[in-house]
Amino acid sequence: MPSHRPVIDGARLRKTLDGINAFGHNPQTGGYNRQGFSDADMAVRRWFEDEARADGFKVRRDAAANVFVRYGPENSPCIMSGSHLDTVPEGGAFDGALGVAVAWEALRAMRDAGMTPKIAVEAVATAEEEGRFGGMLGSQAITGQVTRDWIEQAADASGETLVAAMRGQGLDPYAVLDAARPAGSIKAFVELHIEQGPVLEANGNPIGIAHSVSGVSYIAVRMEGRANHSGTTPMHLRADAFRGLTDVAVEIPNLIEKTGTDQSRITIGKVDLEPNFPHTIPGFAEFTVIIRDTDETVMRALTDAVKASIEAAARRHGLSHVTETKSWLVPVALDNRLAELLSEEAGAMGLAALPMPSGAGHDAQTMQSLCPSALIFVPSRNGISHAPEEWTDWSDIEKGAQLVLNALVRLSCETG
Amino acid sequence: MPSHRPVIDGARLRKTLDGINAFGHNPQTGGYNRQGFSDADMAVRRWFEDEARADGFKVRRDAAANVFVRYGPENSPCIMSGSHLDTVPEGGAFDGALGVAVAWEALRAMRDAGMTPKIAVEAVATAEEEGRFGGMLGSQAITGQVTRDWIEQAADASGETLVAAMRGQGLDPYAVLDAARPAGSIKAFVELHIEQGPVLEANGNPIGIAHSVSGVSYIAVRMEGRANHSGTTPMHLRADAFRGLTDVAVEIPNLIEKTGTDQSRITIGKVDLEPNFPHTIPGFAEFTVIIRDTDETVMRALTDAVKASIEAAARRHGLSHVTETKSWLVPVALDNRLAELLSEEAGAMGLAALPMPSGAGHDAQTMQSLCPSALIFVPSRNGISHAPEEWTDWSDIEKGAQLVLNALVRLSCETG
């Protein structure tokens, strides 16, 4: 029996997060650089393992460099919580790292309270979640979704292959194929992550509970007109590739109104004109369109509507165009019952938890293929993430951490 | 008295143009590179001087590297024709070079016909018209528009100063201040140039006669929003800098309809987004707006309307913005009587000459400050210029060259 109800130690949690963020910090920018399988990423994993071992926990690492810290019975299924330790280039202090620190803090709080769980709990620090190599390698390894073909083809934006990056760290990339955890060995997965969006802040909620993760339809478009002189070419004799793009961009709100939902997001994030000279009418416009929704049917309808809009804009401005589907990720529904359990626990704590979709991808969506999975959000100031300005207030972090702890206690100690 | 009416020798004209284009040719791209005060630019001037001298003409070069080939009485005013020998990087075969070749061919045709003009005629190959150093140095030197301040401040896009570039060619940049031709020393200036636009081709005219040169209002804009995650930021909580820009772009046709004329041209040619990642809402949009009209009042009204549209778009999308006026070039009216003379001569040749504005800048607009000046256009295939694909049919070139010749004969032999 526990000596007291376990409670998060905020100072200790903060110390863990600071410890993680001693790795990969760039003092010039304030950003963090622990890209998957970089030296800083490998170093932070060793540090995390050493800290957990020194504190008396059993630690294991798999072939994908996922680190597992375990508390409770040996050789039995577990409840798992955690997130990733890798970052995007010049990322923030909270993305991923916070979920790892919170999970380990939850284990320490249970131990300190003298709890002996019926089902073991594991804190996981997953590998390569940010997609340097185009996937979520760590959680995909755990859930058995990595294929030999993918390992052989994966490469980062600079052209370095996954195989070379892993071998450079003394790792065997093909061993990742054997890292899958068997079905039934993980009973549930709970991830805490920063929201990376402005919704909780705008609504005044300290906690969000994701019911689903949006799918992503990624289109790359190249429109071609004629790069003529801006002074000598009358407006009606132009074939301005940028005008084609702008017609597509301004149509987006109408497409969402007609075909989308409140969860729809359509973004033109990358635009490259040629020749991109002030005095020349753009001859080429290359751009990306990212279409997201939590409903795949809606996502498909929006994608078709965007393509029709591109077609119409090209015709209107005398342009030719090529549209390429770069990727299609289906939406994922997270576990309803686990989300309800979290809502109940939040309610018991007096927290107004907002049910919401996740617009970004997370390990929880991959884990859902293996076990019931849940995703807890804490607010991001100004919705900023993947940048040094990323911030979550410590009062919100402690609420979220306590919610993770309470959920893990309920799942590991109070259920059969 | 002439032995016969002088006639352009098309083969000889073509040989001159080919001779010029032996300099600065890039066989990889098909483009020509004779940027002002580059080695290729200086070499082509020496070649042109040598050719003209070898053919018996008097040749002079001024401190700005303008080359003058003269035919007719010494020490008297002249009628001048010509254009520039320098090119933009990877430019075409006709821009500038054709006007120089035609002017010299006209002198040779007059001489071969045994004509002795009352007023001398000069063929000029002007220097640095393409604005590597931000002006039209050659014709500005002839017309006394170069200042010491300007010489000291001028630099090209790579940061090389005019002073360094000229000294690197053994030239004294400050001597340019003394290169001005006295008032009255040039009676008229006639420039033949490729249209660089699609109007003559679209209308089926072999010849255009410019009545004016459009002014140019050049605005640089930076809009700032918030570079948030495209998946986690709902549409209504975005501050998308690109959406501000697109609202400005699609409003352009309406602004011209309300405030502009048939001569109005508004172009967004250069766009740079930050961070320019597919999955991130653009936080910054930098873009240029170039506004042209032949009427300065209209140009001002259009510029004000564009600025109001930027203001409104920024407010609509929650953006801040900075708008900077990079340059303001007033429209220039060319000489009416000289244009009429050219129209008459074209009519006498059975050519349907189109009166039109010039949307691009040319030496003729600078020369107009010193003497009556005219600008003859020959058609550009597909309106393309400043590119290896630049092309004008030889049948059109010969018509334009004969028109220049006939005009020079009339101005130098038949007037007092």
Side-chain angles (χ1 to χ4, degrees), chain A residues 247-379:
Chain A
D247 275 14
V248 174
V250 298
E251 188 63 13
I252 287 172
N254 299 331
L255 298 188
I256 292 178
E257 195 176 317
K258 278 185 217 151
T259 313
T261 69
D262 282 357
Q263 311 306 343
S264 302
R265 322 259 184 269
I266 302 182
T267 306
I268 295 176
K270 187 171 193 308
V271 170
D272 294 291
L273 304 186
E274 293 171 34
N276 212 32
F277 292 148
H279 292 278
T280 305
I281 298 160
F284 292 92
E286 280 195 352
F287 60 100
T288 58
V289 190
I290 306 277
I291 301 150
R292 296 173 198 252
D293 200 89
T294 51
D295 180 329
E296 193 173 8
T297 312
V298 173
M299 210 169 98
R300 193 168 299 281
L302 284 172
T303 302
D304 289 345
V306 168
K307 286 182 179 170
S309 156
I310 291 165
E311 188 74 40
R315 207 165 37 235
R316 198 177 303 129
H317 294 286
L319 312 171
S320 63
H321 70 99
V322 180
T323 300
E324 183 193 354
T325 300
K326 302 283 278 186
S327 62
W328 181 273
L329 303 179
V330 297
V332 174
L334 296 170
D335 191 71
N336 264 341
R337 288 176 57 194
L338 200 51
E340 270 168 38
L341 181 149
L342 289 170
S343 287
E344 284 170 26
E345 292 296 327
M349 290 170 67
L351 301 177
L354 185 71
M356 62 189 293
S358 172
H362 295 292
D363 284 321
Q365 79 194 76
T366 310
M367 295 300 291
Q368 176 67 33
S369 69
L370 183 69
C371 64
S373 297
L375 182 56
I376 298 170
F377 285 135
V378 288

Side-chain angles (χ1 to χ4, degrees), chain A residues 137-200:
Chain A
L137 182 68
S139 49
Q140 285 172 336
I142 294 170
T143 55
Q145 295 180 32
V146 179
T147 64
R148 179 171 290 270
D149 271 4
W150 187 83
I151 291 174
E152 279 166 0
Q153 287 165 16
D156 70 9
S158 77
E160 185 173 4
T161 63
L162 172 66
V163 167
M166 289 189 72
R167 286 187 177 151
Q169 297 295 352
L171 304 174
D172 172 6
Y174 295 99
V176 170
L177 297 170
D178 306 320
R181 299 277 286 244
S185 67
I186 304 174
K187 291 285 190 194
F189 178 74
V190 176
E191 179 172 12
L192 176 139
H193 202 281
I194 56 168
E195 180 200 346
Q196 304 181 261
V199 174
L200 293 175

Side-chain angles (χ1 to χ4, degrees), chain A residues 195-199 202-203 214 216 218 226-235 237-238 240 242-243 245-247 249-250 252-253 256 262 264-273 275-282 288 290 292 358-362 382-386, chain B residues 195-199 202-203 214 216 218 226-235 237-238 240 242-243 245-247 249-250 252-253 256 262 264-273 275-282 288 290 292 358-362 382-386:
Chain A
E195 180 200 346
Q196 304 181 261
V199 174
N203 287 281
S214 295
V216 182
Y218 176 175
R226 283 190 308 278
N228 282 341
H229 190 294
S230 70
T232 59
T233 313
M235 302 308 282
L237 292 176
R238 298 182 171 203
D240 182 339
F242 183 56
R243 283 290 285 115
L245 160 54
T246 55
D247 275 14
V250 298
I252 287 172
I256 292 178
D262 282 357
S264 302
R265 322 259 184 269
I266 302 182
T267 306
I268 295 176
K270 187 171 193 308
V271 170
D272 294 291
L273 304 186
N276 212 32
F277 292 148
H279 292 278
T280 305
I281 298 160
T288 58
I290 306 277
R292 296 173 198 252
S358 172
H362 295 292
N382 295 326
I384 294 169
S385 69
H386 287 188
Chain B
E195 181 201 344
Q196 303 182 262
V199 174
N203 287 280
S214 296
V216 182
Y218 176 175
R226 284 190 308 278
N228 282 341
H229 191 294
S230 69
T232 59
T233 314
M235 301 309 284
L237 292 176
R238 296 181 173 205
D240 182 340
F242 183 57
R243 282 290 287 116
L245 159 54
T246 56
D247 275 14
V250 298
I252 287 173
I256 291 179
D262 282 355
S264 303
R265 321 259 184 270
I266 303 182
T267 306
I268 295 176
K270 188 172 192 308
V271 170
D272 293 292
L273 304 185
N276 211 32
F277 291 146
H279 293 277
T280 306
I281 298 160
T288 58
I290 306 277
R292 297 174 197 249
S358 172
H362 294 290
N382 295 324
I384 295 169
S385 68
H386 286 189

Side-chain angles (χ1 to χ4, degrees), chain B residues 79-147:
Chain B
I79 307 298
M80 190 176 281
S81 181
S83 190
H84 58 96
L85 283 179
D86 63 304
T87 69
V88 295
E90 303 298 337
F94 300 87
D95 187 340
L98 181 61
V100 176
V102 162
W104 186 37
E105 177 55 33
L107 268 58
R108 296 167 104 179
M110 288 172 75
R111 184 217 31 208
D112 293 354
M115 301 200 77
T116 45
K118 294 176 199 164
I119 305 172
V121 285
E122 287 193 16
V124 63
T126 62
E128 220 304 77
E129 188 272 352
E130 291 290 6
R132 175 183 170 192
F133 294 101
M136 292 189 195
L137 182 67
S139 51
Q140 286 171 336
I142 294 171
T143 56
Q145 295 180 34
V146 179
T147 64

Side-chain angles (χ1 to χ4, degrees), chain B residues 42-60:
Chain B
M42 301 314 287
V44 75
R45 288 169 197 282
R46 281 191 300 275
W47 174 86
F48 180 56
E49 289 169 334
D50 292 346
E51 288 286 301
R53 271 200 200 97
D55 198 25
F57 288 94
K58 290 196 88 75
V59 174
R60 196 176 70 80

Side-chain angles (χ1 to χ4, degrees), chain B residues 120-344:
Chain B
V121 285
E122 287 193 16
V124 63
T126 62
E128 220 304 77
E129 188 272 352
E130 291 290 6
R132 175 183 170 192
F133 294 101
M136 292 189 195
L137 182 67
S139 51
Q140 286 171 336
I142 294 171
T143 56
Q145 295 180 34
V146 179
T147 64
R148 178 171 290 270
D149 272 5
W150 187 83
I151 291 173
E152 278 166 359
Q153 287 165 18
D156 71 10
S158 77
E160 184 173 3
T161 64
L162 173 66
V163 168
M166 289 189 72
R167 287 188 177 150
Q169 297 295 353
L171 304 173
D172 172 5
Y174 295 100
V176 170
L177 296 170
D178 307 319
R181 298 275 288 244
S185 67
I186 304 175
K187 291 285 187 193
F189 179 74
V190 176
E191 179 173 14
L192 177 138
H193 203 281
I194 56 168
E195 181 201 344
Q196 303 182 262
V199 174
L200 292 176
E201 187 178 66
N203 287 280
N205 294 89
I207 291 286
I209 296 171
H211 46 68
S212 55
V213 181
S214 296
V216 182
S217 162
Y218 176 175
I219 297 172
V221 188
R222 184 171 169 90
M223 286 181 151
E224 177 174 358
R226 284 190 308 278
N228 282 341
H229 191 294
S230 69
T232 59
T233 314
M235 301 309 284
H236 71 284
L237 292 176
R238 296 181 173 205
D240 182 340
F242 183 57
R243 282 290 287 116
L245 159 54
T246 56
D247 275 14
V248 175
V250 298
E251 189 63 13
I252 287 173
N254 299 331
L255 298 187
I256 291 179
E257 196 177 316
K258 276 185 221 152
T259 313
T261 69
D262 282 355
Q263 310 306 342
S264 303
R265 321 259 184 270
I266 303 182
T267 306
I268 295 176
K270 188 172 192 308
V271 170
D272 293 292
L273 304 185
E274 292 172 37
N276 211 32
F277 291 146
H279 293 277
T280 306
I281 298 160
F284 292 93
E286 279 195 353
F287 59 99
T288 58
V289 190
I290 306 277
I291 300 150
R292 297 174 197 249
D293 200 88
T294 51
D295 179 329
E296 193 172 9
T297 312
V298 173
M299 210 169 97
R300 193 169 300 282
L302 283 172
T303 302
D304 289 346
V306 167
K307 285 181 177 169
S309 157
I310 291 164
E311 188 74 40
R315 204 165 41 235
R316 199 176 304 130
H317 295 285
L319 311 172
S320 64
H321 70 98
V322 180
T323 300
E324 184 193 353
T325 300
K326 301 284 278 187
S327 63
W328 181 273
L329 303 179
V330 298
V332 174
L334 297 170
D335 190 71
N336 264 341
R337 287 177 58 196
L338 199 50
E340 269 168 38
L341 181 150
L342 288 170
S343 287
E344 283 170 25

